[in-house]
Amino acid sequence: MRILLIEDDKHLARSIKRGLEAEGFAADVALDGIDGLWRAKEGDYDVILLDIMLPGMNGYRVCAELRAAGNWTPILMLTAKDGELDEAEALDTGADDYLSKPFSYLVLVARIRALLRRGSRERPATLHVGDLRLDPAAHRVWRQETEVSLTPRQFALLEFLMRRPGEVLSKGTILNHVWDFAFDGDPNIVEVYIRHLRRKIDEPFDRSAIQTVRLVGYRLDPDGG
């Protein structure tokens, strides 16, 4: 899943970004409200982490402008301001959740997972596609009753495919959600990771869940292959 972090504290932003990437998320960072608003409008994000006290434009205004523009990406406010009025203003402005600094990283990730489940489409806590089962919070994957070991990036790619079973996803779409905004390497990295996934979740089980749609992209068989 792809996350936008709008946070002006560079040290904290780097720390959160590293933690999110270790969890398998793709994370982009904006250090002020104006850049953050632009990225949120131009990018395709699954969750936005938004600080309130930002240079250029505060978090309340960023949130309000996104909602006014019809952008309903889930927003989690991160702020050093702690009080009922601040929390109420954040939620009334259009935020979906609110977390005061300092916060537990474990709680932050759990709240991100909760926001992912609240989207317009069904987002269950555990994903099932045929006999494939994926638990995002525990970072565990099973084919039938056999657990499969995946790297964080392989896990992120499989989670993205399993959240959109049957959909044909272009290489660019996959890059945008599984890798970060600044990725400028070879787009064929997607093919490499697709091949790795097939070797782990398909071939040992005589399955063909991950399908190539020639000249278009990839799709996960909604029945699990």
Side-chain angles (χ1 to χ4, degrees):
M1 298 289 100
R2 189 176 176 193
I3 295 176
L4 174 62
L5 170 62
I6 308 175
E7 167 62 64
D8 65 323
D9 184 325
K10 292 182 181 180
H11 177 74
L12 179 59
R14 283 196 300 268
S15 177
I16 294 175
K17 178 178 171 67
R18 284 196 302 268
L20 291 173
E21 289 174 342
E23 294 287 335
F25 294 107
D28 298 329
V29 175
L31 298 174
D32 63 69
I34 295 173
D35 183 41
L37 179 62
W38 178 82
R39 285 176 180 261
K41 286 182 173 180
E42 296 297 316
D44 185 8
Y45 293 98
D46 299 288
V47 172
I48 297 171
L49 305 181
L50 176 61
D51 189 25
I52 289 179
M53 303 302 291
L54 291 167
M57 177 184 294
N58 68 40
Y60 295 132
R61 284 188 57 200
V62 172
C63 182
E65 292 209 18
L66 287 174
R67 297 315 189 217
N71 185 321
W72 293 99
T73 302
I75 293 176
L76 172 59
M77 289 281 200
L78 301 176
T79 178
K81 301 181 71 176
D82 185 12
E84 292 180 354
L85 293 178
D86 298 318
E87 182 175 358
E89 184 173 358
L91 297 174
D92 286 342
T93 302
D96 299 274
D97 202 355
Y98 183 99
L99 195 57
S100 297
K101 303 173 186 175
F103 50 80
S104 160
Y105 184 74
L106 191 65
V107 172
L108 172 64
V109 172
R111 292 198 178 192
I112 290 172
R113 295 289 186 194
L115 289 177
L116 288 171
R117 294 195 296 269
R118 291 183 203 171
S120 57
R121 67 178 70 220
E122 184 181 358
R123 294 181 184 268
T126 302
L127 305 177
H128 295 264
V129 178
D131 61 5
L132 268 175
R133 179 163 51 99
L134 182 146
D135 185 336
H139 265 245
R140 301 178 69 185
V141 177
W142 297 264
R143 168 71 84 177
Q144 297 177 334
E145 298 305 315
T146 302
E147 186 165 0
V148 180
S149 176
L150 300 179
T151 67
R153 188 75 72 184
Q154 291 167 359
F155 186 94
L157 175 56
L158 180 60
E159 180 180 354
F160 183 62
L161 293 172
M162 289 183 69
R163 289 190 183 277
R164 294 160 172 79
E167 292 184 28
V168 179
L169 303 168
S170 70
K171 190 181 298 184
T173 298
I174 293 172
L175 279 172
N176 283 340
H177 283 266
V178 181
W179 280 261
D180 64 28
F181 183 79
F183 179 79
D184 60 356
D186 187 346
N188 289 327
I189 191 70
V190 174
E191 296 176 15
V192 173
Y193 274 84
I194 288 288
R195 189 160 59 247
H196 290 169
L197 268 185
R198 283 173 170 155
R199 288 174 180 168
K200 291 189 174 183
I201 69 164
D202 276 352
E203 293 173 9
F205 304 93
D206 194 27
R207 297 286 200 278
S208 56
I210 302 175
Q211 302 171 350
T212 299
V213 180
R214 191 168 179 271
L215 302 179
V216 181
Y218 303 94
R219 68 186 289 271
L220 183 68
D221 187 326
D223 297 319

